[in-house]
Amino acid sequence: MKKTFKSRSALLLAGVVAASLVAGCSGAKDNNTNASSQPPASGSSPAASASGSQESLEPITLDLYSDRAWYSDWTGPGAKRISEKTGVSLNVKKPVQDDGDGKDISLMIASNSLPDLMVVDRGNKMLDQLVEGDYLYAIDELIDQYAPNLRTILDEQYGPELLTNFTEADGHTYKLISGYQTEKYLEQAQKNAGLAPVWLPQLVVRKDYYDEIGRPDTSSPEKFMAALEQMAEKHPDKIPYLGDKSQHSDDLGWFSPQFGVAPYYVDGDQVKSTIHDPKWKEMIKYGFQLAGKGLLTKESFVNTNEVTGQKVAAGDSIVWAYNSTAVNSAPPKDNPDTQFEVLTPFADYMYPTIPRGWMALVIPKSNKNPERTIKLLEYAASKEGQADFSFGVEGTGAGDFKDLAGGAHFYYDASVPNDYFPQGKPTLTTGFNDALNNDWGGTWKQAGLGEPIMLVTNWAVSNTVFWNPADEAKVAYDQMMAPKMKFFPEFDFKIDSASDFGIIEAKIKTLRADYMPKLVFAQSENEFETLFADMLKKAEGLSVDKLEAEYTRQYAMLKAK
């Protein structure tokens, strides 16, 4: 869903457009013939109701651009219900493949054809140019003029960070971010057993082999190695530990959280690359020790994910680098009476997250009706709007589902309290849940709900249908893993891949990838130390110190913010 499309012609075109933008930068405001630096005066458009829905409004169609290929046309039953309620329809334009490079936006700027609003990936490379070129309305100003209740909704239901953490140099907010882990989100996720995602990296073992050695403690690197060695001795025909190349190519990544390795190494007031982190070296040396005992083989560095999955399914491995969903996998073919289970994580396990948000909504000054647009967002952000966009048609119980278009898609379960909905936790009806399990993406599109039509999403609300504090297994998993998650907003560095810093960063990544198998499969500890020192020396030659100085500069700014 988040893959980006690049081509040689796209890059060349982006370069041409960028050059024209630089040449005409001083006239950026003049390029928007109908724009002004302030929102237009309030006209005759009717006001929104207190709940956020808009009353007796003349129909209006707004042009929306998304850089995500999965974004839906405004044609489904969900979109129809929302348009009937608000009077707003959307004419959607999107690329055939995701366009995170912003090629489409570059063309729209060059042709003076920006739409009424955009919902694009937060990392789209053209967002900053839209802000710097004065092509966007300040969302905080539109809120204050036309929809003051939206500020209250964002502050109280989402978290004030959406309007404070994303301010630009002029003090205004131009991007409304969805999917940002605010303090409110973290509080709700932890309360409802939703903080720890099921996809966190884990070491997964065959239960039959683990039972065979008496199920020893594996909560430290030494104890895990000893247990793995015991199982390998009993089953010499099996691969002791098996991952794939995407997990191990440049940083032995599946072991990074087990050793508590952070995205960057903070040394006093300096921020450095992880290659200078003693924990990172300890992790790589652990891989070297595993390999020295024959427990980590070269298969984990060359196999694709698909090949690894086939070998695990056939029963060829003892421990598998995967996640907690493995417990629902079919048993290995050589023993249909066993299953997979997650081993206890190492005591130092820490999964780092740099909260950046997911999608960004912006309102270009080409917008034909900013008042109706911001009031649409007021409705979309409200509890009523979140239910309409994310949950669909309300029913009275689990068995109310009739069909995908008409629902019922959800009901409020009064037996499970919810902070956002006093009537109970929004819960999917059984039939709709079954349809999602059979075809996740197709079902959302047919029902016309969820991510494919999102404008602004409060994940603490939209996830409530999947968060269930009454699910004992999920609660136990969350209690084990949630304390091991750590969030690092101070590491939200902006490094343009085309800049000098971005080039250094890419070269360091390539250097690590080159040295990783050499280090892990070194013939002796002396050779390991010599190789590691050589890697650091080459990193110095690549000007890693300049990159680290930039990390440190941005870190200080983010910490202050």
Side-chain angles (χ1 to χ4, degrees):
M1 182 177 281
K2 299 212 173 181
K3 294 179 181 177
T4 57
F5 172 67
K6 295 182 180 180
S7 69
R8 184 170 182 271
S9 60
L11 292 173
L12 288 172
L13 179 58
V16 171
V17 173
S20 66
L21 287 175
V22 170
C25 184
S26 63
K29 295 182 181 180
D30 296 333
N31 289 337
N32 297 278
T33 55
N34 295 321
S36 66
S37 59
Q38 297 294 325
S42 179
S44 58
S45 299
S49 69
S51 65
S53 61
Q54 300 177 29
E55 302 172 334
S56 305
L57 295 175
E58 294 181 4
I60 184 176
T61 299
L62 299 174
D63 294 325
L64 180 148
Y65 169 77
S66 177
D67 65 351
R68 305 292 92 180
W70 48 260
Y71 202 94
S72 178
D73 295 330
W74 198 253
T75 55
K80 181 180 179 182
R81 286 190 296 272
I82 291 167
S83 290
E84 288 174 350
K85 180 177 287 191
T86 65
V88 179
S89 296
L90 299 174
N91 176 34
V92 175
K93 178 184 177 183
K94 59 185 178 179
V96 176
Q97 293 180 302
D98 292 354
D99 181 25
D101 286 337
K103 173 174 62 76
D104 286 346
I105 296 177
S106 295
L107 288 172
M108 286 186 278
I109 291 175
S111 61
N112 197 27
S113 60
L114 289 169
D116 295 301
L117 68 162
M118 298 182 180
V119 179
V120 299
D121 187 84
R122 192 261 188 179
N124 190 295
K125 294 181 179 179
M126 286 300 297
L127 276 177
D128 286 342
Q129 290 195 42
L130 287 170
V131 174
E132 293 164 6
D134 196 31
Y135 289 98
L136 303 177
Y137 280 119
I139 287 179
D140 55 309
E141 289 187 338
L142 291 179
I143 289 173
D144 290 341
Q145 182 160 0
Y146 297 128
N149 190 49
L150 177 53
R151 184 181 292 274
T152 302
I153 290 170
L154 294 176
D155 286 351
E156 295 181 356
Q157 297 177 31
Y158 291 65
E161 296 97 318
L162 292 194
L163 291 178
T164 60
N165 283 16
F166 298 97
T167 55
E168 300 295 337
D170 63 0
H172 292 296
T173 302
Y174 295 87
K175 296 170 281 192
L176 193 56
I177 303 294
S178 292
Y180 184 74
Q181 291 104 333
T182 64
E183 289 295 330
K184 182 75 172 177
Y185 169 83
L186 298 180
E187 169 196 303
Q188 288 296 308
Q190 194 159 21
K191 183 175 182 178
N192 294 286
L195 186 58
V198 295
W199 44 258
L200 293 178
Q202 304 287 356
L203 300 174
V204 176
V205 68
R206 289 177 54 141
K207 186 177 184 300
D208 52 352
Y209 292 176
Y210 191 39
D211 288 343
E212 191 177 29
I213 64 169
R215 304 181 64 79
D217 180 14
T218 60
S219 62
S220 74
E222 297 75 21
K223 291 175 180 178
F224 170 73
M225 187 185 296
L228 186 58
E229 202 167 7
Q230 288 183 62
M231 291 184 283
E233 287 175 358
K234 290 182 175 293
H235 301 278
D237 59 324
K238 303 295 184 181
I239 303 168
Y241 167 87
L242 184 61
D244 64 66
K245 63 182 181 181
S246 69
Q247 301 165 329
H248 300 86
S249 60
D250 70 345
D251 66 353
L252 210 62
W254 221 247
F255 284 97
S256 289
Q258 297 283 357
F259 280 79
V261 179
Y264 302 92
Y265 174 49
V266 179
D267 184 13
D269 59 356
Q270 303 294 305
V271 180
K272 299 182 177 181
S273 167
T274 52
I275 63 173
H276 291 131
D277 187 346
K279 286 185 179 181
W280 190 79
K281 182 180 180 181
E282 180 187 357
M283 175 193 67
I284 305 305
K285 197 161 193 177
Y286 184 69
F288 158 74
Q289 293 166 347
L290 287 174
K293 292 177 177 288
L295 303 175
L296 173 59
T297 67
K298 291 185 178 179
E299 287 200 59
S300 292
F301 291 81
V302 298
N303 286 351
T304 62
N305 177 271
E306 182 179 7
V307 170
T308 292
Q310 291 170 351
K311 288 181 175 291
V312 170
D316 294 342
S317 69
I318 297 172
V319 170
W320 176 23
Y322 201 56
N323 58 52
S324 67
T325 63
V327 300
N328 298 317
S329 298
K333 291 180 181 177
D334 61 348
N335 184 3
D337 295 324
T338 192
Q339 62 190 68
F340 297 102
E341 65 175 281
V342 174
L343 288 170
T344 302
F346 295 175
D348 289 336
Y349 189 110
M350 182 274 292
Y351 187 82
T353 295
I354 302 174
R356 292 189 168 106
W358 171 45
M359 301 295 285
L361 184 145
V362 298
I363 304 175
K365 290 183 176 178
S366 53
N367 184 288
K368 67 176 66 74
N369 196 320
E371 181 178 1
R372 290 287 293 276
T373 302
I374 202 69
K375 285 178 177 174
L376 173 68
L377 296 185
E378 180 180 7
Y379 150 74
S382 69
K383 295 176 187 178
E384 176 188 358
Q386 289 295 290
D388 288 341
F389 275 86
S390 298
F391 307 150
V393 176
E394 180 185 349
T396 58
D400 283 357
F401 179 76
K402 299 295 189 298
D403 59 66
L404 289 177
H409 303 106
F410 81 104
Y411 66 102
Y412 292 105
D413 186 350
S415 68
V416 184
N418 183 265
D419 289 347
Y420 287 100
F421 298 96
Q423 59 269 55
K425 184 183 97 70
T427 303
L428 298 179
T429 56
T430 303
F432 186 52
N433 189 58
D434 290 345
L436 285 171
N437 288 334
N438 290 330
D439 180 6
W440 183 268
T443 295
W444 281 120
K445 285 193 174 183
Q446 289 182 61
L449 301 172
E451 292 180 0
I453 62 169
M454 63 86 61
L455 293 178
V456 55
T457 296
N458 183 359
W459 279 358
V461 171
S462 62
N463 285 349
T464 55
V465 294
F466 305 108
W467 292 345
N468 186 2
D471 183 338
E472 293 182 1
K474 185 62 175 71
V475 168
Y477 172 79
D478 207 71
Q479 288 176 342
M480 177 175 70
M481 297 307 302
K484 297 181 179 295
M485 297 188 68
K486 189 171 181 181
F487 293 80
F488 294 92
E490 65 270 31
F491 287 157
D492 186 15
F493 304 148
K494 291 183 178 180
I495 304 293
D496 187 339
S497 60
S499 69
D500 290 343
F501 297 125
I503 292 169
I504 295 171
E505 202 169 52
K507 287 181 177 178
I508 296 299
K509 182 178 176 68
T510 300
L511 179 69
R512 292 191 318 190
D514 181 43
Y515 270 83
M516 193 56 52
K518 297 176 185 177
L519 290 164
V520 170
F521 298 106
Q523 296 302 303
S524 66
E525 187 167 349
N526 283 340
E527 182 183 358
F528 176 91
E529 293 294 343
T530 299
L531 285 166
F532 198 90
D534 186 47
M535 179 185 67
L536 293 183
K537 186 175 181 63
K538 288 186 176 178
E540 290 176 9
L542 295 172
S543 300
V544 69
D545 58 325
K546 293 181 180 178
L547 177 63
E548 291 174 336
E550 178 61 14
Y551 290 159
T552 300
R553 184 189 70 81
Q554 294 193 33
Y555 176 80
M557 293 174 59
L558 289 165
K559 286 284 284 186
K561 188 173 182 179

